[in-house]
């Protein structure tokens, strides 16, 4: 199959994404307008009949002082990763990006390699000898993913460092998902652990209500998010980031981004943003106050978001990044503990991969990044 690659318009790119069952929210054309500090380009792969058969959003970050770029395709490109001729897809892309002044390419193939169900994770947590998710036998292994990794290595791609829980510009290698396809809502609720079900009931009894917000409520979102940032010791994004995200994503598709609040006696206690692309729904950012935890607003909010995702026909509700640590003393352990209560599964992708087009500049960037 001979493939050609060229720049396409955001409209062509979006039309292609809309024909797919799902794609990463980092690969929709509007994501480029969220990431304003990067220059962007939409790439299209065409077959010999001129049909668009793959697409990619490339973000270019300029190196300080010189006109050379890091080219980044977060959770992409959106191509047939299992194609036996993977070279025919990726070689034209590398040639094109080199032409554009890229010295290094980073991509995140949306290829799942392993899944662990809630029972497997729980047994891992209970076993004192187990410290990491990968020490636990996976419930499902995708053999084709190993072939993809082997092909990439043979082509000269290098596997990047693990992105931890995805707190930063690197996309998470491990995520937590609740599968919704071919399940009833009752099934999904039965999959929740006892504590989660009890907390959902507790919130209902206490009169917690979960409501959707709009653009005008983003300042209230920001208030809760900044409280969370102080408590969890991370640097919050500014309000303008979420306002831009809301505007550009919902201009592209009115249902792309949603905002939820859980409130009690008229006071907002927790909030979350949700992103939707086809049948894939993400819980994207979460925030909560230091008060009112006893009425379990976060559990109520997740259950409402999950039900809404289900009503939209979603096949997966994605709780995004987790760390692969099952060690109770690890500061990120609470995250996996909270998410595993939903009865979903931990999912490992093959991670991010780098191709140094200019080895010297690539090495310089590595050194620069490790000093930050």
């Amino acid at each position: 199959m001979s493939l050609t690659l060229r720049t396409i318009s955001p409209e062509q790119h979006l039309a292609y994404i809309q024909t797919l069952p799902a794609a990463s929210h980092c690969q929709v054309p509007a994501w480029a307008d969220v990431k304003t500090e990067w220059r962007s380009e939409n790439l299209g792969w065409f077959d010999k009949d001129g049909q668009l058969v793959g697409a990619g959003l490339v973000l270019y970050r300029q190196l300080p002082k010189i006109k050379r770029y890091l080219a980044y395709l977060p959770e992409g490109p959106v191509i047939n990763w299992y194609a036996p001729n993977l070279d025919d897809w990726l070689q034209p892309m590398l040639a094109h990006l080199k032409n554009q002044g890229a010295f290094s390419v980073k991509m995140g193939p949306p290829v799942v390699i392993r899944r662990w169900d809630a029972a497997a994770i729980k047994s891992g947590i209970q076993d004192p000898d187990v410290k990491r998710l990968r020490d636990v036998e996976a419930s499902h292994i995708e053999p084709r993913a190993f072939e993809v990794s082997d092909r990439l290595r043979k082509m000269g791609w290098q596997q990047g460092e693990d992105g931890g829980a995805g707190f930063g510009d690197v996309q998470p290698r491990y995520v937590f998902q609740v599968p919704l396809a071919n399940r009833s809502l009752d099934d999904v609720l039965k999959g929740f652990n006892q504590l989660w079900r009890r907390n959902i009931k507790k919130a209902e009894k206490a009169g917690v209500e979960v409501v959707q917000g709009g653009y005008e409520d983003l300042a209230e979102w920001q208030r809760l998010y900044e409280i969370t940032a102080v408590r969890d010791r991370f640097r919050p994004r500014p309000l303008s980031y979420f306002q831009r995200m809301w505007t550009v994503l919902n201009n592209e598709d009115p249902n792309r981004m949603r905002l939820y609040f859980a409130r009690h006696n008229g006071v907002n206690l927790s909030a979350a943003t949700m992103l939707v692309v086809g049948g894939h729904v993400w819980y994207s950012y979460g925030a909560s106050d230091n008060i009112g935890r006893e009425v379990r607003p976060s559990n109520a909010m997740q259950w409402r978001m999950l039900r809404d995702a289900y009503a939209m026909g979603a096949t997966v509700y994605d709780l995004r990044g987790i760390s692969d640590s099952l060690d109770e003393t690890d500061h990120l352990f609470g995250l996996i503990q909270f998410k595993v209560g939903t009865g979903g599964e931990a999912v490992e992708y093959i991670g991010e991969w780098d191709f140094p087009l200019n080895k010297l500049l690539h090495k310089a960037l590595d050194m620069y990044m490790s000093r930050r």
Side-chain angles (χ1 to χ4, degrees), residues 50 75 130 364-365:
E75 298 186 6
V130 167
L365 179 80

Side-chain angles (χ1 to χ4, degrees), residues 169-367:
D169 269 343
V170 185
Q171 300 305 321
R173 177 157 181 183
Y174 294 90
V175 300
F176 203 88
Q177 298 177 345
V178 181
L180 300 177
N182 308 317
R183 296 176 76 192
S184 69
L185 263 182
D186 263 2
D187 267 355
V188 175
L189 185 59
K190 281 192 189 110
F192 281 35
N193 70 13
Q194 246 176 330
L195 182 64
W196 260 88
R197 291 202 300 268
R198 206 164 46 230
N199 286 343
I200 290 167
K201 274 211 179 79
K202 196 182 246 182
E204 256 170 50
K205 229 184 211 143
V208 171
E209 52 167 349
V210 180
V211 296
Q212 262 184 265
Y215 180 88
E216 65 287 353
D217 301 301
L218 285 168
E220 173 63 359
W221 147 264
Q222 192 71 15
R223 179 184 74 81
L224 291 167
Y225 173 62
E226 286 179 10
I227 291 170
T228 309
V230 171
R231 184 178 65 237
D232 294 349
R233 298 196 294 277
F234 65 84
R235 204 167 94 221
R237 292 189 182 275
L239 172 59
S240 57
Y241 180 82
F242 295 103
Q243 288 172 328
R244 185 168 68 242
M245 197 170 166
W246 182 275
T247 306
V248 301
L249 292 177
N250 288 335
N251 277 347
E252 178 175 274
D253 179 330
N255 201 28
R256 185 76 83 223
M257 180 176 176
R258 291 182 172 200
L259 177 62
Y260 287 84
F261 291 98
R263 57 172 64 145
H264 186 240
N265 296 336
V267 179
N268 292 316
L269 298 175
S270 59
T273 61
M274 179 200 261
L275 297 175
V276 182
V277 184
H280 203 127
V281 171
W282 292 264
Y283 154 55
S284 168
Y285 283 87
S288 61
D289 205 330
N290 298 325
I291 56 165
R293 298 187 147 207
E294 67 288 347
V295 295
R296 305 298 176 201
S298 293
N299 299 87
M301 185 171 63
Q302 288 296 340
W303 178 228
R304 162 73 191 272
M305 288 166 72
L306 210 150
R307 291 199 320 267
D308 284 2
Y310 187 88
M312 280 186 254
T315 52
V316 62
Y317 180 70
D318 195 322
L319 291 130
R320 283 301 269 172
I322 51 172
S323 113
D324 78 328
S325 174
L326 297 182
D327 180 352
E328 297 189 15
T329 61
D330 189 298
H331 74 291
L332 290 172
F333 176 73
L335 200 59
I336 191 166
Q337 202 175 30
F338 177 75
K339 293 177 181 181
V340 85
T342 61
E345 53 191 20
V347 175
E348 181 190 1
Y349 285 90
I350 62 171
E352 295 201 315
W353 293 72
D354 297 304
F355 196 98
L357 292 164
N358 178 319
K359 292 196 166 62
L360 203 67
L361 287 177
H362 179 82
K363 204 170 171 56
L365 179 80
D366 266 359
M367 285 164 68

